[in-house]
Amino acid sequence: MERRIPWLWITIGAFVLLAPGLAGRFAVDLLEGVTLLVVLGPLLLAGAGLLAWQILKRRMVTCAACGTPSFGAAICPACGAVLDQPQTGFPPEDFREQPASDAVIDVVVTPVDEER
């Protein structure tokens, strides 16, 4: 059974290549199109991804105070510094030297409604 399978594929391939008429030419053109799509498709997707990353990278603004990247924001979402003028927001030296133990988190307890 194992020896018949390669001969079967060779016979089918020979028939498709040697088949006269429109059906044989259509099969060869279809195989060429599929091969072209398999080879060039990933290359085109990689090129489009690289181009999109370069466009996004140009629009990204990094905050000078805290280093948070953002897109199209006038004020940094992390520290509140103005991105056009990095000196007017939260001072970078205070931001970097503030210990975590000084942070205060206010937690408000609200009762859960039974009706919901």
Side-chain angles (χ1 to χ4, degrees):
M1 188 74 168
E2 292 179 19
R3 292 185 180 208
R4 292 183 188 173
I5 293 175
W7 291 109
L8 176 67
W9 287 111
I10 291 172
T11 306
I12 291 173
F15 178 72
V16 167
L17 292 175
L18 298 175
L22 187 59
R25 185 68 186 155
F26 177 74
V28 170
D29 288 342
L30 184 66
L31 287 174
E32 287 175 1
V34 169
T35 304
L36 187 67
L37 182 66
V38 167
V39 171
L40 292 182
L43 293 175
L44 290 174
L45 286 175
L50 182 64
L51 182 65
W53 170 246
Q54 292 298 323
I55 291 171
L56 284 176
K57 195 167 116 178
R58 288 181 185 167
R59 294 183 182 176
M60 189 183 316
V61 178
T62 303
C63 178
C66 67
T68 302
S70 61
F71 292 104
I75 297 174
C76 177
C79 69
V82 179
L83 293 178
D84 294 336
Q85 304 164 353
Q87 308 302 334
T88 61
F90 195 75
E93 59 274 355
D94 291 343
F95 183 77
R96 297 182 198 277
E97 295 177 9
Q98 183 180 9
S101 61
D102 289 346
V104 177
I105 301 172
D106 293 330
V107 178
V108 178
V109 179
T110 57
V112 178
D113 294 337
E114 296 291 331
E115 298 173 5
R116 288 186 186 178

